[in-house]
Amino acid sequence: IEVVGLNEQINIEIEQNLNFIKNTNIFFIDNEVIEDQINKYNFIEKYNISKIYPSKIVLELQQADFLAQTIKNNKIYLIGSNNNFIEVERFNNYENLPIVYGKFTAEKFTSFKKILNQSDLNYNNIREIFFYPSGRIDIKTKDNLLIKFPIQNLEEALIIVSKIINNENFNNNLIDLRVSNQLILSNE
């Protein structure tokens, strides 16, 4: 069994977890058994299982991209592009990711991020994202600009925010779009 695609330590760990199939005839190894072992690692986004006859299995694994970090039950988790909350113990270099607050699912966050990616707003400039029980979302940038979005018409609101931020005369630290057909700019 050969595992490739992740860091060496994790590749070896997965190989060792599959040791129980080592002396089994390759024709009798069910892919579901291998998939069950791979699915225990919720940071794996994609994988490919290749049986190379007569006796070799190659697992090509792809790690999910880390999109943000959040705190649940007093533990830090990464939000993966595979819609999973991933424990941070195995990983580092996540400090520059935005912190997401509130009650939300990973799916809700990734769908929000897709909408955000279609806008002109620079995701790398976001420090914090707040999900409210009402369904509303706020963003705080690294420049301390707070953007309060409406519950509906997020795409339209993002277009308005981009126009405001890109205006050379803009120097406020609050953009409030919560009330429809109304824009509030202030320095709080």
Side-chain angles (χ1 to χ4, degrees), residues 67-83:
L67 307 176
Q69 54 183 315
T70 190
I71 300 170
K72 294 179 138 325
N73 302 322
N74 294 324
K75 286 181 73 176
I76 299 174
Y77 289 88
L78 299 171
I79 304 170
S81 56
N82 59 351
N83 292 332

Side-chain angles (χ1 to χ4, degrees), residues 132-144:
Y132 293 99
S134 64
R136 218 178 50 68
I137 299 171
D138 287 356
I139 288 177
K140 189 164 200 167
T141 68
K142 292 179 181 173
D143 305 325
N144 283 326

Side-chain angles (χ1 to χ4, degrees), residues 85-187:
F85 292 111
I86 301 164
E87 291 186 16
V88 298
E89 282 77 29
R90 295 177 182 268
F91 306 101
N92 48 26
N93 298 330
Y94 60 86
E95 292 83 12
N96 291 330
L97 293 174
I99 302 171
V100 184
Y101 299 99
K103 290 189 177 176
F104 60 95
T105 62
E107 290 86 359
K108 184 171 182 174
F109 173 79
T110 52
S111 68
F112 167 70
K113 183 163 183 321
K114 285 179 186 166
I115 293 169
L116 204 56
N117 286 347
Q118 294 169 358
S119 77
D120 290 337
L121 209 58
N122 181 357
Y123 184 75
N124 294 324
N125 194 33
I126 295 174
R127 181 189 309 153
E128 298 169 327
I129 301 170
F130 305 89
F131 281 86
Y132 293 99
S134 64
R136 218 178 50 68
I137 299 171
D138 287 356
I139 288 177
K140 189 164 200 167
T141 68
K142 292 179 181 173
D143 305 325
N144 283 326
L145 170 65
L146 180 62
I147 306 166
K148 298 183 175 198
F149 290 101
I151 293 174
Q152 297 171 336
N153 301 324
L154 185 60
E155 294 92 342
E156 188 178 310
L158 282 163
I159 292 169
I160 293 168
V161 166
S162 293
K163 287 179 182 175
I164 293 168
I165 291 174
N166 292 329
N167 183 324
E168 61 187 46
N169 296 324
F170 175 73
N171 63 355
N172 301 86
N173 64 7
L174 173 69
I175 300 174
D176 190 341
L177 298 161
R178 292 177 291 180
V179 180
S180 64
N181 298 321
Q182 188 174 344
L183 168 66
I184 299 171
L185 300 175
S186 74
N187 287 312

